Amino acid sequence: MSFPVVAAIVGSAIAAVRRPGEVFISAVQHLAAGIVLAAVVGEILPELRNEGRLPWAVAGFALGVALMLTLGAYGRRVDAQRAGAAPVGFLVAVGIDLLLDGLLVGLAVQLGSTQGLILTIALTLEVSFLALSVVGELTDRGFDAKRAALTCAGLGLLTAVGAILGALVLGGVGPAGLAFGLAFGAAALLYLAIEELIAEAHETKETTLLSGMFFLGFLVIYVLAELGG
């Protein structure tokens, strides 16, 4: 539980000391997207198949998609109405993402030791890179470096809240509940990777190196999973 929280704090501090440039942020977003997709494809989906609870998985995935699409629409509407003010919608979306990341860490205690470790590593890397990206986004919107770093570090604590809830509330649930929770988390992570990280990464002029960072992130998690297996 502590690893993603520390990652958010460290990433925020690094970005506050030296604000990352647009190309670096785009590279980080590509890398994080690859990491997230690898965790979903390599760890969550196989576990869902093993559980064999298709109706519950479909229900969890559908609810996760509905929630993330609703939050995305809300964030865009609020930020459009508050042009020049603090990006409330953006921060709410990031907070929900981190809360769900923590929830998956909590659920990971019920998976095999290797799967749980790989998922935790993937989420820790994703949170650290997300912190760098968020601080850069906030400074672009008028936050000074210190305020942006403190805001992002505070959001990182939501990962701990999600992990505690995942371990306490969902701990010991049966196969149906586990399938529902994993599918819900998978939908949230896919939204983060495709609609947030990749979409924002493509706001910077695309290069071969930037595109390659996505595949590097995917490969890193795949190699870790193979070594752990």
Side-chain angles (χ1 to χ4, degrees):
M1 178 182 69
S2 62
F3 289 112
V5 176
V6 173
I9 295 173
V10 172
S12 302
I14 291 174
V17 171
R18 184 174 182 179
R19 186 185 182 282
E22 291 183 358
V23 174
F24 179 79
I25 291 176
S26 179
V28 164
Q29 289 167 333
H30 277 88
L31 186 67
I35 289 171
V36 171
L37 285 179
V40 172
V41 174
E43 303 302 324
I44 297 180
L45 294 184
E47 185 64 28
L48 284 174
R49 292 189 65 184
N50 291 336
E51 294 297 333
R53 305 285 176 167
L54 183 60
W56 287 93
V58 170
F61 192 86
L63 182 60
V65 170
L67 175 62
M68 298 310 295
L69 290 177
T70 300
L71 287 173
Y74 168 78
R76 289 189 295 270
R77 185 173 68 253
V78 170
D79 289 347
Q81 295 172 351
R82 294 170 53 89
V88 176
F90 171 74
L91 294 177
V92 168
V94 171
I96 295 296
D97 286 335
L98 292 173
L99 187 67
L100 293 174
D101 285 348
L103 183 67
L104 284 176
V105 172
L107 282 174
V109 300
Q110 298 189 69
L111 304 177
S113 58
T114 300
Q115 291 172 303
L117 178 61
I118 294 300
L119 186 56
T120 301
I121 291 173
L123 292 174
T124 298
L125 293 172
E126 179 253 313
V127 168
S128 64
F129 296 143
L130 183 62
L132 291 172
S133 177
V134 168
V135 171
E137 179 72 17
L138 291 178
T139 53
D140 284 342
R141 303 212 186 185
F143 281 52
D144 59 68
K146 181 179 179 180
R147 183 186 175 197
L150 290 175
T151 300
C152 188
L155 287 173
L157 295 177
L158 291 174
T159 310
V161 174
I164 293 172
L165 290 175
L168 294 180
V169 178
L170 300 176
V173 297
L178 183 59
F180 183 92
L182 288 174
F184 182 91
L189 290 178
L190 286 175
Y191 182 90
L192 170 65
I194 304 302
E195 294 295 329
E196 297 290 342
L197 292 173
I198 290 297
E200 292 180 11
H202 285 173
E203 293 178 1
T204 301
K205 183 178 179 181
E206 195 72 8
T207 66
T208 302
L209 178 61
L210 291 178
S211 298
M213 295 299 290
F214 170 84
F215 297 99
L216 175 62
F218 195 100
L219 183 62
V220 166
I221 296 303
Y222 172 76
V223 171
L224 288 176
E226 288 296 313
L227 292 176

Short mmCIF file of all heavy atoms in Angstrom, two decimals, residues 88-146:
data_model
loop_
_atom_site.label_atom_id
_atom_site.label_comp_id
_atom_site.label_asym_id
_atom_site.label_seq_id
_atom_site.Cartn_x
_atom_site.Cartn_y
_atom_site.Cartn_z
N VAL A 88 -10.89 21.85 -11.27
CA VAL A 88 -11.57 20.96 -10.35
C VAL A 88 -11.91 19.62 -11.00
O VAL A 88 -11.67 18.55 -10.44
CB VAL A 88 -12.85 21.62 -9.79
CG1 VAL A 88 -13.60 20.65 -8.89
CG2 VAL A 88 -12.51 22.88 -9.02
N GLY A 89 -12.47 19.69 -12.19
CA GLY A 89 -12.85 18.45 -12.87
C GLY A 89 -11.66 17.56 -13.13
O GLY A 89 -11.73 16.33 -12.93
N PHE A 90 -10.56 18.14 -13.56
CA PHE A 90 -9.34 17.39 -13.80
C PHE A 90 -8.85 16.72 -12.52
O PHE A 90 -8.49 15.54 -12.51
CB PHE A 90 -8.27 18.33 -14.37
CG PHE A 90 -6.90 17.73 -14.46
CD1 PHE A 90 -6.60 16.79 -15.44
CD2 PHE A 90 -5.91 18.10 -13.56
CE1 PHE A 90 -5.33 16.24 -15.53
CE2 PHE A 90 -4.64 17.56 -13.65
CZ PHE A 90 -4.35 16.62 -14.63
N LEU A 91 -8.84 17.46 -11.41
CA LEU A 91 -8.36 16.92 -10.15
C LEU A 91 -9.28 15.82 -9.62
O LEU A 91 -8.81 14.83 -9.05
CB LEU A 91 -8.24 18.04 -9.11
CG LEU A 91 -7.17 19.10 -9.42
CD1 LEU A 91 -7.19 20.20 -8.35
CD2 LEU A 91 -5.79 18.47 -9.49
N VAL A 92 -10.59 15.99 -9.81
CA VAL A 92 -11.53 14.95 -9.38
C VAL A 92 -11.28 13.66 -10.16
O VAL A 92 -11.25 12.56 -9.59
CB VAL A 92 -12.98 15.42 -9.58
CG1 VAL A 92 -13.95 14.26 -9.41
CG2 VAL A 92 -13.31 16.53 -8.58
N ALA A 93 -11.07 13.79 -11.46
CA ALA A 93 -10.82 12.61 -12.29
C ALA A 93 -9.53 11.91 -11.86
O ALA A 93 -9.49 10.68 -11.75
CB ALA A 93 -10.74 13.01 -13.76
N VAL A 94 -8.48 12.68 -11.60
CA VAL A 94 -7.22 12.09 -11.16
C VAL A 94 -7.40 11.42 -9.81
O VAL A 94 -6.89 10.32 -9.57
CB VAL A 94 -6.12 13.17 -11.08
CG1 VAL A 94 -4.86 12.62 -10.40
CG2 VAL A 94 -5.76 13.67 -12.47
N GLY A 95 -8.13 12.07 -8.91
CA GLY A 95 -8.37 11.49 -7.58
C GLY A 95 -9.10 10.17 -7.65
O GLY A 95 -8.74 9.21 -6.95
N ILE A 96 -10.12 10.09 -8.51
CA ILE A 96 -10.85 8.83 -8.67
C ILE A 96 -9.94 7.76 -9.26
O ILE A 96 -9.97 6.60 -8.84
CB ILE A 96 -12.08 9.04 -9.57
CG1 ILE A 96 -13.08 9.98 -8.89
CG2 ILE A 96 -12.75 7.71 -9.89
CD1 ILE A 96 -13.67 9.43 -7.61
N ASP A 97 -9.12 8.15 -10.23
CA ASP A 97 -8.17 7.19 -10.81
C ASP A 97 -7.25 6.61 -9.75
O ASP A 97 -7.01 5.40 -9.69
CB ASP A 97 -7.33 7.87 -11.91
CG ASP A 97 -8.11 8.12 -13.18
OD1 ASP A 97 -9.09 7.38 -13.41
OD2 ASP A 97 -7.75 9.03 -13.93
N LEU A 98 -6.72 7.47 -8.89
CA LEU A 98 -5.79 7.01 -7.85
C LEU A 98 -6.51 6.16 -6.81
O LEU A 98 -5.94 5.19 -6.29
CB LEU A 98 -5.12 8.21 -7.18
CG LEU A 98 -4.16 9.00 -8.07
CD1 LEU A 98 -3.68 10.26 -7.37
CD2 LEU A 98 -2.97 8.14 -8.47
N LEU A 99 -7.75 6.53 -6.50
CA LEU A 99 -8.54 5.73 -5.56
C LEU A 99 -8.76 4.32 -6.10
O LEU A 99 -8.62 3.33 -5.37
CB LEU A 99 -9.88 6.41 -5.30
CG LEU A 99 -10.77 5.80 -4.22
CD1 LEU A 99 -10.14 5.97 -2.84
CD2 LEU A 99 -12.15 6.46 -4.24
N LEU A 100 -9.06 4.23 -7.39
CA LEU A 100 -9.27 2.92 -8.01
C LEU A 100 -7.97 2.14 -8.12
O LEU A 100 -7.96 0.91 -8.00
CB LEU A 100 -9.91 3.09 -9.38
CG LEU A 100 -11.34 3.64 -9.37
CD1 LEU A 100 -11.83 3.90 -10.78
CD2 LEU A 100 -12.29 2.67 -8.67
N ASP A 101 -6.86 2.84 -8.35
CA ASP A 101 -5.56 2.17 -8.34
C ASP A 101 -5.32 1.51 -6.99
O ASP A 101 -4.86 0.37 -6.90
CB ASP A 101 -4.44 3.18 -8.62
CG ASP A 101 -4.37 3.57 -10.09
OD1 ASP A 101 -5.03 2.90 -10.91
OD2 ASP A 101 -3.67 4.54 -10.40
N GLY A 102 -5.61 2.26 -5.93
CA GLY A 102 -5.45 1.70 -4.59
C GLY A 102 -6.37 0.53 -4.35
O GLY A 102 -5.99 -0.46 -3.70
N LEU A 103 -7.58 0.61 -4.88
CA LEU A 103 -8.53 -0.49 -4.74
C LEU A 103 -7.97 -1.77 -5.36
O LEU A 103 -8.09 -2.85 -4.79
CB LEU A 103 -9.85 -0.11 -5.41
CG LEU A 103 -10.99 -1.13 -5.31
CD1 LEU A 103 -11.46 -1.27 -3.87
CD2 LEU A 103 -12.15 -0.72 -6.21
N LEU A 104 -7.32 -1.63 -6.51
CA LEU A 104 -6.73 -2.80 -7.15
C LEU A 104 -5.56 -3.34 -6.34
O LEU A 104 -5.33 -4.55 -6.29
CB LEU A 104 -6.26 -2.43 -8.56
CG LEU A 104 -7.36 -2.31 -9.61
CD1 LEU A 104 -6.79 -1.85 -10.93
CD2 LEU A 104 -8.08 -3.64 -9.79
N VAL A 105 -4.80 -2.45 -5.70
CA VAL A 105 -3.72 -2.92 -4.83
C VAL A 105 -4.30 -3.73 -3.68
O VAL A 105 -3.76 -4.77 -3.29
CB VAL A 105 -2.89 -1.73 -4.29
CG1 VAL A 105 -1.89 -2.20 -3.24
CG2 VAL A 105 -2.15 -1.05 -5.43
N GLY A 106 -5.42 -3.24 -3.12
CA GLY A 106 -6.08 -3.98 -2.05
C GLY A 106 -6.58 -5.33 -2.52
O GLY A 106 -6.48 -6.34 -1.80
N LEU A 107 -7.14 -5.36 -3.73
CA LEU A 107 -7.61 -6.63 -4.28
C LEU A 107 -6.46 -7.59 -4.58
O LEU A 107 -6.62 -8.80 -4.58
CB LEU A 107 -8.39 -6.39 -5.57
CG LEU A 107 -9.83 -5.89 -5.43
CD1 LEU A 107 -10.41 -5.56 -6.79
CD2 LEU A 107 -10.70 -6.92 -4.73
N ALA A 108 -5.27 -7.03 -4.82
CA ALA A 108 -4.12 -7.85 -5.19
C ALA A 108 -3.73 -8.83 -4.09
O ALA A 108 -3.09 -9.85 -4.36
CB ALA A 108 -2.93 -6.96 -5.53
N VAL A 109 -4.13 -8.54 -2.84
CA VAL A 109 -3.77 -9.45 -1.76
C VAL A 109 -4.47 -10.80 -1.90
O VAL A 109 -4.04 -11.79 -1.30
CB VAL A 109 -4.11 -8.83 -0.38
CG1 VAL A 109 -3.37 -7.53 -0.17
CG2 VAL A 109 -5.62 -8.60 -0.24
N GLN A 110 -5.55 -10.81 -2.69
CA GLN A 110 -6.27 -12.06 -2.88
C GLN A 110 -5.76 -12.86 -4.08
O GLN A 110 -6.17 -13.99 -4.29
CB GLN A 110 -7.77 -11.79 -3.07
CG GLN A 110 -8.41 -11.12 -1.86
CD GLN A 110 -9.90 -11.07 -2.00
OE1 GLN A 110 -10.58 -12.10 -1.96
NE2 GLN A 110 -10.44 -9.88 -2.19
N LEU A 111 -4.90 -12.22 -4.89
CA LEU A 111 -4.35 -12.91 -6.04
C LEU A 111 -3.12 -13.70 -5.61
O LEU A 111 -2.68 -13.64 -4.47
CB LEU A 111 -3.97 -11.90 -7.12
CG LEU A 111 -5.10 -10.98 -7.60
CD1 LEU A 111 -4.56 -9.99 -8.62
CD2 LEU A 111 -6.24 -11.78 -8.18
N GLY A 112 -2.54 -14.44 -6.53
CA GLY A 112 -1.30 -15.13 -6.23
C GLY A 112 -0.21 -14.12 -5.92
O GLY A 112 -0.27 -12.96 -6.32
N SER A 113 0.82 -14.56 -5.19
CA SER A 113 1.87 -13.64 -4.76
C SER A 113 2.54 -12.96 -5.94
O SER A 113 2.82 -11.76 -5.92
CB SER A 113 2.91 -14.40 -3.93
OG SER A 113 3.47 -15.47 -4.67
N THR A 114 2.79 -13.71 -7.00
CA THR A 114 3.45 -13.12 -8.17
C THR A 114 2.54 -12.13 -8.87
O THR A 114 2.96 -11.01 -9.21
CB THR A 114 3.86 -14.22 -9.17
OG1 THR A 114 4.78 -15.11 -8.54
CG2 THR A 114 4.52 -13.60 -10.40
N GLN A 115 1.27 -12.49 -9.07
CA GLN A 115 0.33 -11.59 -9.73
C GLN A 115 0.13 -10.32 -8.92
O GLN A 115 0.11 -9.21 -9.46
CB GLN A 115 -1.00 -12.28 -9.94
CG GLN A 115 -0.97 -13.41 -10.96
CD GLN A 115 -2.27 -14.18 -10.99
OE1 GLN A 115 -2.70 -14.71 -9.96
NE2 GLN A 115 -2.90 -14.24 -12.15
N GLY A 116 -0.03 -10.47 -7.61
CA GLY A 116 -0.21 -9.31 -6.76
C GLY A 116 0.99 -8.38 -6.79
O GLY A 116 0.86 -7.16 -6.83
N LEU A 117 2.19 -8.97 -6.79
CA LEU A 117 3.41 -8.17 -6.81
C LEU A 117 3.54 -7.42 -8.13
O LEU A 117 3.86 -6.22 -8.14
CB LEU A 117 4.63 -9.07 -6.60
CG LEU A 117 5.99 -8.37 -6.65
CD1 LEU A 117 6.09 -7.33 -5.56
CD2 LEU A 117 7.12 -9.39 -6.51
N ILE A 118 3.30 -8.11 -9.25
CA ILE A 118 3.40 -7.46 -10.55
C ILE A 118 2.40 -6.33 -10.68
O ILE A 118 2.72 -5.24 -11.18
CB ILE A 118 3.20 -8.49 -11.69
CG1 ILE A 118 4.35 -9.50 -11.69
CG2 ILE A 118 3.11 -7.79 -13.03
CD1 ILE A 118 5.71 -8.89 -11.91
N LEU A 119 1.17 -6.57 -10.23
CA LEU A 119 0.15 -5.54 -10.31
C LEU A 119 0.53 -4.33 -9.46
O LEU A 119 0.36 -3.18 -9.87
CB LEU A 119 -1.20 -6.10 -9.86
CG LEU A 119 -2.42 -5.19 -10.02
CD1 LEU A 119 -2.56 -4.73 -11.46
CD2 LEU A 119 -3.68 -5.90 -9.57
N THR A 120 1.08 -4.58 -8.28
CA THR A 120 1.50 -3.49 -7.41
C THR A 120 2.65 -2.71 -8.03
O THR A 120 2.68 -1.48 -7.97
CB THR A 120 1.92 -4.03 -6.03
OG1 THR A 120 0.82 -4.72 -5.44
CG2 THR A 120 2.33 -2.89 -5.11
N ILE A 121 3.61 -3.42 -8.63
CA ILE A 121 4.73 -2.74 -9.30
C ILE A 121 4.22 -1.87 -10.44
O ILE A 121 4.63 -0.71 -10.60
CB ILE A 121 5.75 -3.77 -9.82
CG1 ILE A 121 6.48 -4.44 -8.65
CG2 ILE A 121 6.77 -3.10 -10.75
CD1 ILE A 121 7.38 -5.57 -9.07
N ALA A 122 3.32 -2.43 -11.24
CA ALA A 122 2.78 -1.68 -12.37
C ALA A 122 2.06 -0.42 -11.91
O ALA A 122 2.25 0.68 -12.47
CB ALA A 122 1.83 -2.56 -13.18
N LEU A 123 1.24 -0.55 -10.88
CA LEU A 123 0.49 0.60 -10.39
C LEU A 123 1.42 1.63 -9.73
O LEU A 123 1.19 2.83 -9.83
CB LEU A 123 -0.58 0.15 -9.40
CG LEU A 123 -1.72 -0.66 -10.01
CD1 LEU A 123 -2.66 -1.18 -8.93
CD2 LEU A 123 -2.50 0.18 -11.01
N THR A 124 2.48 1.15 -9.07
CA THR A 124 3.44 2.07 -8.46
C THR A 124 4.14 2.90 -9.52
O THR A 124 4.28 4.13 -9.40
CB THR A 124 4.47 1.30 -7.63
OG1 THR A 124 3.80 0.61 -6.56
CG2 THR A 124 5.50 2.25 -7.02
N LEU A 125 4.59 2.24 -10.59
CA LEU A 125 5.23 2.96 -11.69
C LEU A 125 4.26 3.92 -12.35
O LEU A 125 4.59 5.08 -12.64
CB LEU A 125 5.77 1.97 -12.72
CG LEU A 125 6.93 1.08 -12.27
CD1 LEU A 125 7.24 0.02 -13.32
CD2 LEU A 125 8.17 1.92 -11.99
N GLU A 126 3.02 3.46 -12.53
CA GLU A 126 2.02 4.31 -13.18
C GLU A 126 1.73 5.54 -12.33
O GLU A 126 1.63 6.66 -12.85
CB GLU A 126 0.75 3.49 -13.40
CG GLU A 126 -0.38 4.28 -14.05
CD GLU A 126 -1.48 4.58 -13.06
OE1 GLU A 126 -1.90 3.68 -12.33
OE2 GLU A 126 -1.91 5.75 -13.04
N VAL A 127 1.62 5.37 -11.00
CA VAL A 127 1.33 6.50 -10.11
C VAL A 127 2.48 7.50 -10.11
O VAL A 127 2.27 8.72 -10.12
CB VAL A 127 1.02 6.01 -8.69
CG1 VAL A 127 1.00 7.16 -7.70
CG2 VAL A 127 -0.33 5.29 -8.66
N SER A 128 3.72 7.00 -10.09
CA SER A 128 4.87 7.91 -10.06
C SER A 128 4.94 8.73 -11.34
O SER A 128 5.17 9.95 -11.31
CB SER A 128 6.16 7.11 -9.88
OG SER A 128 6.40 6.24 -10.96
N PHE A 129 4.70 8.09 -12.47
CA PHE A 129 4.72 8.81 -13.73
C PHE A 129 3.52 9.74 -13.86
O PHE A 129 3.61 10.83 -14.42
CB PHE A 129 4.76 7.82 -14.89
CG PHE A 129 6.02 6.99 -14.94
CD1 PHE A 129 5.98 5.67 -15.33
CD2 PHE A 129 7.24 7.54 -14.56
CE1 PHE A 129 7.13 4.90 -15.36
CE2 PHE A 129 8.40 6.78 -14.59
CZ PHE A 129 8.35 5.46 -15.00
N LEU A 130 2.38 9.31 -13.33
CA LEU A 130 1.19 10.16 -13.36
C LEU A 130 1.42 11.42 -12.54
O LEU A 130 0.97 12.50 -12.91
CB LEU A 130 -0.02 9.39 -12.82
CG LEU A 130 -1.36 10.12 -12.84
CD1 LEU A 130 -1.75 10.46 -14.28
CD2 LEU A 130 -2.45 9.27 -12.19
N ALA A 131 2.15 11.29 -11.42
CA ALA A 131 2.44 12.44 -10.58
C ALA A 131 3.26 13.49 -11.35
O ALA A 131 2.98 14.69 -11.28
CB ALA A 131 3.20 12.01 -9.33
N LEU A 132 4.26 13.03 -12.08
CA LEU A 132 5.05 13.95 -12.90
C LEU A 132 4.17 14.67 -13.91
O LEU A 132 4.27 15.89 -14.11
CB LEU A 132 6.15 13.19 -13.64
CG LEU A 132 7.29 12.60 -12.81
CD1 LEU A 132 8.17 11.72 -13.68
CD2 LEU A 132 8.12 13.70 -12.18
N SER A 133 3.28 13.93 -14.52
CA SER A 133 2.40 14.50 -15.54
C SER A 133 1.42 15.49 -14.93
O SER A 133 1.17 16.57 -15.49
CB SER A 133 1.65 13.37 -16.25
OG SER A 133 0.73 13.89 -17.18
N VAL A 134 0.85 15.14 -13.78
CA VAL A 134 -0.16 15.99 -13.15
C VAL A 134 0.45 17.31 -12.69
O VAL A 134 -0.15 18.38 -12.86
CB VAL A 134 -0.83 15.26 -11.97
CG1 VAL A 134 -1.66 16.23 -11.14
CG2 VAL A 134 -1.70 14.14 -12.49
N VAL A 135 1.64 17.25 -12.11
CA VAL A 135 2.30 18.49 -11.67
C VAL A 135 2.55 19.40 -12.86
O VAL A 135 2.33 20.62 -12.79
CB VAL A 135 3.61 18.18 -10.93
CG1 VAL A 135 4.40 19.46 -10.67
CG2 VAL A 135 3.33 17.49 -9.61
N GLY A 136 3.00 18.83 -13.97
CA GLY A 136 3.20 19.63 -15.17
C GLY A 136 1.91 20.24 -15.67
O GLY A 136 1.86 21.41 -16.07
N GLU A 137 0.83 19.47 -15.62
CA GLU A 137 -0.48 19.97 -16.07
C GLU A 137 -0.95 21.10 -15.17
O GLU A 137 -1.48 22.12 -15.66
CB GLU A 137 -1.50 18.83 -16.05
CG GLU A 137 -2.90 19.21 -16.47
CD GLU A 137 -3.03 19.47 -17.95
OE1 GLU A 137 -2.13 19.04 -18.71
OE2 GLU A 137 -4.02 20.11 -18.36
N LEU A 138 -0.76 20.97 -13.86
CA LEU A 138 -1.21 22.00 -12.93
C LEU A 138 -0.41 23.29 -13.08
O LEU A 138 -0.97 24.39 -13.00
CB LEU A 138 -1.11 21.49 -11.49
CG LEU A 138 -2.10 20.39 -11.10
CD1 LEU A 138 -1.86 19.93 -9.67
CD2 LEU A 138 -3.55 20.86 -11.27
N THR A 139 0.89 23.17 -13.29
CA THR A 139 1.69 24.37 -13.48
C THR A 139 1.31 25.08 -14.78
O THR A 139 1.34 26.32 -14.85
CB THR A 139 3.19 24.04 -13.49
OG1 THR A 139 3.46 23.02 -14.45
CG2 THR A 139 3.66 23.57 -12.12
N ASP A 140 0.93 24.31 -15.78
CA ASP A 140 0.44 24.91 -17.03
C ASP A 140 -0.84 25.70 -16.79
O ASP A 140 -1.15 26.63 -17.54
CB ASP A 140 0.18 23.84 -18.09
CG ASP A 140 1.47 23.31 -18.71
OD1 ASP A 140 2.50 23.99 -18.56
OD2 ASP A 140 1.44 22.23 -19.32
N ARG A 141 -1.60 25.30 -15.77
CA ARG A 141 -2.88 25.96 -15.48
C ARG A 141 -2.75 27.05 -14.43
O ARG A 141 -3.74 27.50 -13.87
CB ARG A 141 -3.91 24.93 -15.04
CG ARG A 141 -4.12 23.82 -16.06
CD ARG A 141 -5.52 23.32 -16.02
NE ARG A 141 -5.73 22.16 -16.88
CZ ARG A 141 -6.90 21.60 -17.08
NH1 ARG A 141 -7.96 22.07 -16.47
NH2 ARG A 141 -7.02 20.55 -17.87
N GLY A 142 -1.52 27.46 -14.13
CA GLY A 142 -1.33 28.61 -13.25
C GLY A 142 -0.91 28.30 -11.82
O GLY A 142 -0.69 29.22 -11.03
N PHE A 143 -0.78 27.03 -11.45
CA PHE A 143 -0.30 26.67 -10.12
C PHE A 143 1.20 26.93 -10.03
O PHE A 143 1.93 26.70 -11.00
CB PHE A 143 -0.55 25.19 -9.83
CG PHE A 143 -1.96 24.86 -9.44
CD1 PHE A 143 -3.05 25.26 -10.20
CD2 PHE A 143 -2.22 24.11 -8.30
CE1 PHE A 143 -4.34 24.94 -9.85
CE2 PHE A 143 -3.51 23.77 -7.94
CZ PHE A 143 -4.58 24.20 -8.72
N ASP A 144 1.67 27.43 -8.87
CA ASP A 144 3.12 27.47 -8.69
C ASP A 144 3.61 26.05 -8.37
O ASP A 144 2.81 25.17 -8.03
CB ASP A 144 3.52 28.44 -7.57
CG ASP A 144 2.92 28.08 -6.22
OD1 ASP A 144 3.30 27.03 -5.66
OD2 ASP A 144 2.05 28.83 -5.73
N ALA A 145 4.92 25.81 -8.50
CA ALA A 145 5.46 24.45 -8.39
C ALA A 145 5.15 23.81 -7.04
O ALA A 145 4.78 22.63 -6.96
CB ALA A 145 6.97 24.47 -8.63
N LYS A 146 5.27 24.59 -5.95
CA LYS A 146 5.04 24.03 -4.63
C LYS A 146 3.59 23.63 -4.44
O LYS A 146 3.29 22.53 -3.94
CB LYS A 146 5.45 25.04 -3.56
CG LYS A 146 5.27 24.53 -2.13
CD LYS A 146 5.70 25.58 -1.12
CE LYS A 146 5.50 25.08 0.31
NZ LYS A 146 5.92 26.10 1.32
#
